[in-house]
Amino acid sequence: MSQVTANPNVTTAAEPKVKSASPWVLAFRQVRQSKLAIFGIVMLLLMFLICFFGPFFSPYTIDTLNIRNGNKAPSAAHWLGTDNLGRDILLRVMLAGRISLLVGFVAMMVSVSIGSLLGAIAGFYRGWVDTIIMRIIDIMMSIPSLPLLIILGSILSDWKIPPSERIYIVMFMLGILSWPGLARLVRGQILSLREQEFMQAAESLGLRDSKKIFRHLLPNTIPIIIVNATLAVGGAILMESVLSYLGLGVVPPTPSWGNMISAANNLIDFQKRPWLWIPPGVCVFITVMSFNFVGDALRDAFDPKSKSKR
Amino acid sequence: MTQPLIEVKDLKKYFPITGGVFQRTVGHVKAVDGVSFSLNKGEALGLVGESGCGKSTTGRTVLRLLEKSGGSVHFKGTDLHSLNKKDLRAMRPKIQLVFQDPYSSLNPRIKVGEAIGEALVDHGIVSRSEVRDRVKEILSICGLAPYHIDRYPHEFSGGQRQRIGIARSLILKPEFMVLDEPVSALDVSIQAQIINLLTDLQEQNDLTYLFISHDLSVVEHLCNRVGVMYLGSMVEMASRDELFSNPLHPYTKALLSAVPVPDPTKKPERIVLQGDIPSPANPPSGCKFHTRCPFAKDICKQQIPEYKDAGSNHYVACHFAGEF
Amino acid sequence: MSNNLIEFRNLRTNFYTGSGVVKAVNDVSFSIREGETLCVVGESGCGKSVTAMSLMRLVATPGKIVGGEILYKGEDLLKLKEREMRYLRGNEIAMIFQDPMSSLNPVLTIGHQIAEPLRIHKKLSKQEAKKKSIELIELVGIPRAAKIYDSYPHELSGGMRQRIMIAIALSCDPKLLIADEPTTALDVTIQAQILDLMRDIKKEFNTAIMMITHDLGVVAEMADHVVVMYAGKVIEEAPVHELFNNPKHPYTQGLLKAKPVISNRQDRLYTIPGQVPNPVELGENCYFNDRCEHCMEICVQKQPDLNIYDNKHKAACWLYEKEGK
């Protein structure tokens, strides 16, 4: 008996033309069904294009000061008007968008990398490793984040950190404060995944721990990581706006949506010069909302149970 | 004298039951309570019993996917439960497990080719460049097509997934395989295909099987020796023909007679057991079967029957073995 | 000869899925007589459960009954108002499911769940309903009925729960009991108990039973009449002895040969090659043609009709028709 002849259903027929669809492709097909998600994606793309490429087409530069031309209402020369120093609001909104989106993304990356790694390690090894990580998470989650950020912000102001470096510190601060939630989610998923039969199979095949964590477990948590990351970008942008509005995040002259909105602090600006604070406000609103739409659609696409609700 | 390939002695696996505010251990579920058997190379031992009898736990403890609570498991003379993590990992390819559920035993995000080949690479048996050829070869041995290599598990039917699961184990050239209900989740026509595949693979590769099933008819076709388990203990073990023609334990008799026969003209004289299987957390005293046994006498409630040879390697644990 | 209790006429139920329309039940006709046990056999996905769900009018979206009639005592169930249908369900037609674990509500006592239909359909008082419930629990062979009445589902084993499900189904003396794989989730010794119970019930109450199963052993034991389904179609129908003695359709023959039977060991099991066809891509051929060892030219071109032969034996196969020869 050399050759196996006993398999009557060896599929010898030519390979069917059907393209093999990965679970990812299937999920993204699902996302396409959601109108809100499409709207969100389109808005985000527009926002990116405008913020990153728009400034190249602007006739003004960030340093163009013209005090005599200050506080002008929108006109043909300045589509969104000018601020008290005569700077073009449209240009500033676009540059602020770069900063805000960057802060959002970097904060999210920091949060996702710390959160998913520590969550995976805690869930996989359990025991004392898990206990230590979870206690750290508990501590971090029981500190109210806004007061902490305000304190950190005032310390930064006190140390006279230059505004250009301050942005990066704000990014990491936001990231470091938001990972525990994700770590908890990932750990919970890993705990339930490791009881699945395919993990027992991995054990019985004698795979390395690293392979088990990075090849088998983490890819299965990517849905919740993606959903979380999407919502986290929105959250970080919002948080940055709050801090900058309070004057503790990104500080002038570097523009950010938050510190531009703080113009509304001034009663005259608030009542008489809405072009100062409405454009950045609308940008924050649209961006965060779009991220939330996309995040919700991703959640529905990845979670088979919520599909029927469509 | 040849050494048995697998020798299991008095294997025990207890799961703690915790209770109270402080989660203290208040008792044990004796899932496997003193099971012994040995297997020679090329043999297929069937382990049958109803749900909760500990047959799956036995299979997993033998492979040390679960840590034992007592007893020993020797594979070719090596005590599996005393190996350190590194040596155990090196031993894994030789001892393989095939799962019951072809859906949950494959990682949904890993392509079939990688699922089958990854262990080869991870153990350094085959280099990354050769692995695809090896996977394609094993796919066709297991009745799948080479182009299936780049597909995801969700694109396959239950029977095909089970073939993938078998291929994943087989590619490591194991010597001992535990098959945990590999055909229970499959339809009759597919079940027959998988049973034949397993038979062929065993003949060609001189494999040794521990075949766990609740279906006596499948066990009869695939195994040359059969053990019957009840509530964590082996109640009877004999060669296939001996066990099916001359069952000595009343539980084995009841099990055999309970299987519906696909022939409407045969109305078997059935021993219908009364009541349910007792909880393994709180097994009955004496012979564990006495609560359901139609022939139970006083001695059965008090004394645990000895598991002994009733002649020609027919082991049985019953005070009145063969008297009914 | 007794009358038809239920008659399926050209029933069609489709499922509208993302990848296409699945004809889960495709032109199915058969009938169940009063007091008869009819078994529907077939492999997973052959449409046997959907047929039963169509009868109860409980097909869930994306499924939809798109054609045919289901006559109950001469009246088309598909034309009834939802309110009238609700009255029939539980009262005249009762159903038990495969999974006794999930078909009982875990937060209500057993007694409550048995008494509820009695109070709604039979308008019994609380006391009467309790008395009747306890009788029912005893009827299905559970000792200490009064104690079970007050317990919760998680306190019972799988076999006990299935008995409770049967008790609930019997509570309003149904004319038809639909049992969808009632013993598949149970152990063999428990399965034997449940099958015995169902046989007793049939004898005592003259209830017709429509039993859906994949296990030919169960069919042989329970059925008076058998319907074999494959890919949404009835391919063979016959009285039980006739079917087992003289199976006509190659699929039925294959199923009978492929099942391992105790004390009848063969070195190799007979296998039906290949897989069940993809339900979305069905053409105008015999759906079994690519797995059939007798496949002829006509089988790939045209679908055979379900024709009647001797001894009330119906089969849909070209082998037995003139055109095929």
Side-chain angles (χ1 to χ4, degrees):
Chain A
M1 289 271 271
S2 59
Q3 263 305 308
V4 178
T5 49
N7 294 314
N9 65 336
V10 173
T11 325
T12 42
E15 178 170 358
K17 293 246 164 62
V18 190
K19 186 89 182 69
S20 167
S22 77
W24 304 113
V25 175
L26 295 181
F28 284 108
R29 266 184 212 157
Q30 189 79 31
V31 172
R32 277 212 312 248
Q33 310 266 327
S34 155
K35 291 201 176 70
L36 281 180
I38 297 295
F39 171 77
I41 291 170
V42 170
M43 290 312 288
L44 288 177
L45 277 176
L46 275 177
M47 195 63 85
F48 270 89
L49 289 175
I50 292 173
C51 289
F52 284 90
F53 296 106
F56 298 122
F57 299 101
S58 173
Y60 310 101
T61 66
I62 186 78
D63 309 320
T64 317
L65 298 182
N66 187 352
I67 300 193
R68 269 176 299 161
N69 197 23
N71 288 337
K72 285 275 162 12
S75 63
H78 298 278
W79 293 356
L80 293 177
T82 59
D83 67 2
N84 56 350
L85 298 176
R87 292 175 295 192
D88 184 51
I89 296 280
L90 178 62
L91 176 67
R92 274 179 65 78
V93 165
M94 291 191 290
L95 291 172
R98 285 185 182 178
I99 300 287
S100 289
L101 288 169
L102 194 68
V103 168
F105 271 95
V106 174
M108 176 272 281
M109 295 295 277
V110 171
S111 151
V112 163
S113 24
I114 302 179
S116 51
L117 189 68
L118 287 185
I121 289 173
F124 184 77
Y125 288 103
R126 295 186 285 194
W128 59 269
V129 180
D130 185 26
T131 311
I132 291 175
I133 294 176
M134 287 313 286
R135 289 303 82 78
I136 295 175
I137 290 174
D138 287 343
I139 291 168
M140 300 216 34
M141 287 187 95
S142 41
I143 301 172
S145 57
L146 193 57
L148 185 69
L149 282 169
I150 292 176
I151 292 166
L152 286 172
S154 2
I155 293 174
L156 290 183
S157 305
D158 217 36
W159 288 351
K160 308 240 177 343
I161 309 277
S164 55
E165 282 170 36
R166 206 180 150 118
I167 304 169
Y168 301 102
I169 298 175
V170 170
M171 291 174 190
F172 281 94
M173 258 166 32
L174 290 172
I176 283 170
L177 280 175
S178 60
W179 67 266
L182 180 67
R184 253 195 194 172
L185 282 176
V186 171
R187 170 182 173 269
Q189 277 264 303
I190 300 256
L191 279 178
S192 81
L193 281 169
R194 60 171 291 146
E195 298 306 321
Q196 295 258 324
E197 276 200 339
F198 65 79
M199 285 315 295
Q200 291 198 30
E203 173 68 36
S204 104
L205 292 170
L207 300 183
R208 284 169 219 280
D209 285 356
S210 60
K211 186 130 187 167
K212 278 190 252 175
I213 296 178
F214 291 108
R215 198 69 198 97
H216 283 256
L217 288 172
L218 271 179
N220 277 292
T221 64
I222 284 181
I224 63 158
I225 294 180
I226 289 183
V227 171
N228 222 270
T230 319
L231 300 175
V233 178
I237 291 175
L238 214 53
M239 203 50 155
E240 182 273 330
S241 303
V242 171
L243 280 182
S244 304
Y245 174 81
L246 295 173
L248 299 164
V250 180
V251 290
T254 315
S256 93
W257 286 336
N259 64 30
M260 289 180 74
I261 299 172
S262 66
N265 266 343
N266 182 321
L267 189 65
I268 299 171
D269 285 346
F270 179 68
Q271 287 181 333
K272 299 267 158 68
R273 298 171 193 135
W275 63 87
L276 290 182
W277 51 270
I278 284 184
V282 168
C283 286
V284 172
F285 173 71
I286 288 178
T287 311
V288 174
M289 194 178 63
S290 300
F291 272 116
N292 288 350
F293 283 156
V294 177
D296 283 344
L298 284 169
R299 190 202 316 269
D300 289 350
F302 287 128
D303 182 4
K305 273 172 247 146
S306 62
K307 262 178 200 162
S308 51
K309 274 185 270 168
R310 256 195 304 126
Chain B
M1 194 194 127
T2 52
Q3 189 184 36
L5 187 83
I6 279 276
E7 193 165 17
V8 177
K9 271 191 197 146
D10 200 26
L11 188 69
K12 290 186 176 122
K13 176 66 194 173
Y14 297 169
F15 293 103
I17 309 167
T18 52
V21 189
F22 299 105
Q23 294 293 303
R24 269 183 312 166
T25 306
V26 293
H28 285 98
V29 176
K30 298 182 175 178
V32 181
D33 196 10
V35 166
S36 307
F37 57 86
S38 65
L39 265 165
N40 293 322
K41 193 160 180 57
E43 256 194 316
L45 172 69
L47 219 48
V48 288
E50 296 178 284
S51 50
C53 74
K55 54 192 193 298
S56 284
T57 311
T58 305
R60 276 155 213 232
T61 316
V62 166
L63 292 182
R64 203 178 162 191
L65 290 170
L66 293 169
E67 295 297 329
K68 66 173 183 183
S69 307
S72 69
V73 180
H74 287 266
F75 171 71
K76 292 166 112 185
T78 319
D79 184 354
L80 286 180
H81 280 265
S82 65
L83 292 177
N84 62 26
K85 208 178 164 189
K86 187 166 150 276
D87 292 340
L88 180 66
R89 202 178 86 81
M91 191 66 99
R92 286 275 174 226
K94 298 280 152 226
I95 50 172
Q96 280 298 309
L97 176 65
V98 173
F99 293 84
Q100 166 176 10
D101 185 349
Y103 291 88
S104 67
S105 59
L106 291 172
N107 190 333
R109 300 198 187 272
I110 291 188
K111 285 184 182 175
V112 166
E114 188 184 343
I116 297 174
E118 62 179 344
L120 272 184
V121 179
D122 213 38
H123 284 284
I125 302 172
V126 167
S127 72
R128 227 165 250 287
S129 51
E130 290 166 68
V131 73
R132 271 184 83 85
D133 292 335
R134 288 287 293 277
V135 171
K136 283 182 180 170
E137 188 190 325
I138 210 89
L139 278 173
S140 59
I141 289 177
C142 292
L144 294 159
Y147 67 77
H148 285 141
I149 192 166
D150 289 321
R151 300 262 173 115
Y152 284 92
H154 70 89
E155 298 170 76
F156 293 87
S157 67
Q160 289 174 316
R161 282 160 172 252
Q162 202 57 285
R163 288 173 192 271
I164 295 168
I166 293 169
R168 177 174 63 184
S169 290
L170 198 70
I171 201 167
L172 294 168
K173 295 205 164 56
E175 293 180 48
F176 174 59
M177 281 172 96
V178 174
L179 305 158
D180 189 0
E181 307 250 17
V183 298
S184 307
L186 306 176
D187 280 318
V188 183
S189 71
I190 307 299
Q191 181 175 317
Q193 294 174 0
I194 300 290
I195 293 173
N196 282 350
L197 173 67
L198 289 170
T199 316
D200 294 339
L201 292 175
Q202 190 190 18
E203 280 173 10
Q204 286 152 22
N205 304 305
D206 202 19
L207 288 171
T208 310
Y209 285 161
L210 177 63
F211 188 89
I212 295 161
S213 178
H214 67 274
D215 189 337
L216 283 157
S217 55
V218 173
V219 167
E220 192 191 11
H221 271 83
L222 208 73
C223 303
N224 43 22
R225 215 145 48 93
V226 182
V228 181
M229 285 184 73
Y230 188 76
L231 277 181
S233 307
M234 198 72 84
V235 294
E236 185 162 7
M237 185 185 291
S239 71
R240 172 186 61 220
D241 298 337
E242 171 74 12
L243 189 101
F244 281 87
S245 59
N246 180 27
L248 295 178
H249 198 285
Y251 179 62
T252 315
K253 284 185 184 172
L255 264 188
L256 280 168
S257 76
V259 180
V261 182
D263 183 352
T265 54
K266 271 189 204 156
K267 294 281 179 218
E269 318 145 29
R270 174 166 294 165
I271 310 168
V272 174
L273 292 177
Q274 294 308 307
D276 284 312
I277 305 161
S279 154
N282 187 18
S285 62
C287 171
K288 287 175 184 167
F289 185 57
H290 82 255
T291 53
R292 299 176 77 198
C293 184
F295 313 106
K297 301 211 167 47
D298 279 344
I299 183 175
C300 303
K301 291 178 192 159
Q302 287 138 17
Q303 267 186 43
I304 300 172
E306 201 188 331
Y307 178 66
K308 57 178 186 284
D309 193 350
S312 61
N313 276 327
H314 191 145
Y315 286 86
V316 62
C318 178
H319 291 298
F320 304 99
E323 287 178 31
F324 311 106
Chain C
M1 188 176 137
S2 42
N3 304 319
N4 284 346
L5 184 69
I6 284 275
E7 195 176 340
F8 290 90
R9 281 192 191 160
N10 309 96
L11 179 70
R12 289 170 185 278
T13 303
N14 290 354
F15 279 79
Y16 298 92
T17 66
S19 43
V21 179
V22 174
K23 292 176 181 169
V25 178
N26 188 356
D27 199 10
V28 161
S29 306
F30 62 88
S31 48
I32 307 172
R33 282 183 290 277
E34 277 172 28
E36 174 188 67
T37 303
L38 178 122
C39 280
V40 183
V41 266
E43 298 180 293
S44 41
C46 72
K48 53 191 194 301
S49 289
V50 181
T51 308
M53 291 315 259
S54 304
L55 168 56
M56 294 294 269
R57 284 213 357 223
L58 290 174
V59 180
T61 44
K64 208 175 162 225
I65 301 171
V66 291
E69 294 176 317
I70 302 172
L71 302 181
Y72 174 73
K73 295 178 170 170
E75 198 180 0
D76 187 359
L77 291 182
L78 301 180
K79 293 204 177 76
L80 288 184
K81 293 200 182 70
E82 184 53 38
R83 191 172 45 82
E84 295 167 310
M85 193 63 216
R86 206 156 41 223
Y87 174 78
L88 277 181
R89 271 183 226 138
N91 221 354
E92 308 231 338
I93 308 173
M95 187 157 183
I96 51 177
F97 297 91
Q98 170 173 358
D99 186 2
M101 302 294 160
S102 59
S103 35
L104 286 168
N105 187 334
V107 297
L108 298 176
T109 60
I110 297 293
H112 184 98
Q113 299 187 50
I114 302 183
E116 198 177 23
L118 287 169
R119 297 187 60 193
I120 294 171
H121 289 303
K122 296 270 167 184
K123 309 262 182 287
L124 294 185
S125 73
K126 213 170 174 179
Q127 297 310 317
E128 287 168 326
K130 178 166 182 177
K131 196 164 151 269
K132 181 89 202 280
S133 308
I134 293 179
E135 280 172 26
L136 281 165
I137 299 174
E138 280 166 356
L139 178 81
V140 294
I142 301 178
R144 296 175 294 120
K147 196 172 160 236
I148 297 292
Y149 183 87
D150 288 320
S151 50
Y152 286 89
H154 71 92
E155 298 171 67
L156 306 182
S157 67
M160 297 259 261
R161 285 186 223 191
Q162 198 56 290
R163 285 170 190 265
I164 296 294
M165 286 310 297
I166 294 174
I168 294 175
L170 290 178
S171 59
C172 297
D173 306 314
K175 295 280 174 301
L176 175 70
L177 180 64
I178 303 174
D180 188 352
E181 306 260 11
T183 57
T184 308
L186 306 175
D187 285 312
V188 267
T189 60
I190 309 296
Q191 164 171 300
Q193 296 172 356
I194 298 288
L195 293 182
D196 272 10
L197 172 66
M198 289 183 67
R199 253 195 309 261
D200 292 347
I201 284 163
K202 185 187 148 195
K203 229 181 278 168
E204 198 166 327
F205 299 96
N206 197 35
T207 313
I209 299 178
M210 174 177 171
M211 183 138 162
I212 292 155
T213 180
H214 66 278
D215 188 337
L216 288 162
V218 172
V219 174
E221 231 171 80
M222 298 294 293
D224 299 314
H225 204 76
V226 189
V227 167
V228 185
M229 287 185 73
Y230 185 78
K233 290 209 147 273
V234 174
I235 53 146
E236 188 158 5
E237 183 191 333
V240 66
H241 287 276
E242 171 68 17
L243 187 93
F244 279 87
N245 291 337
N246 180 25
K248 281 190 187 293
H249 199 285
Y251 175 65
T252 317
Q253 294 170 352
L255 273 189
L256 283 167
K257 277 193 271 180
K259 185 178 165 58
V261 180
I262 285 191
S263 334
N264 183 20
R265 205 186 110 83
Q266 297 132 343
D267 274 337
R268 291 198 68 78
L269 285 171
Y270 175 84
T271 60
I272 303 175
Q275 313 277 338
V276 176
N278 182 346
V280 183
E281 296 159 4
L282 294 174
E284 275 307 300
N285 43 15
C286 170
Y287 297 154
F288 190 60
N289 76 73
D290 56 337
R291 302 177 74 187
C292 182
E293 52 187 23
H294 306 289
C295 183
M296 299 173 293
E297 223 169 280
I298 188 158
C299 303
V300 284
Q301 291 158 357
K302 230 168 133 184
Q303 216 164 64
D305 292 326
L306 188 66
N307 285 330
I308 189 154
Y309 300 96
D310 313 340
N311 305 327
K312 298 186 207 155
H313 197 144
K314 291 183 192 170
C317 182
W318 289 117
L319 283 176
Y320 308 99
E321 288 194 44
K322 284 199 190 80
E323 253 182 289
K325 294 204 171 126

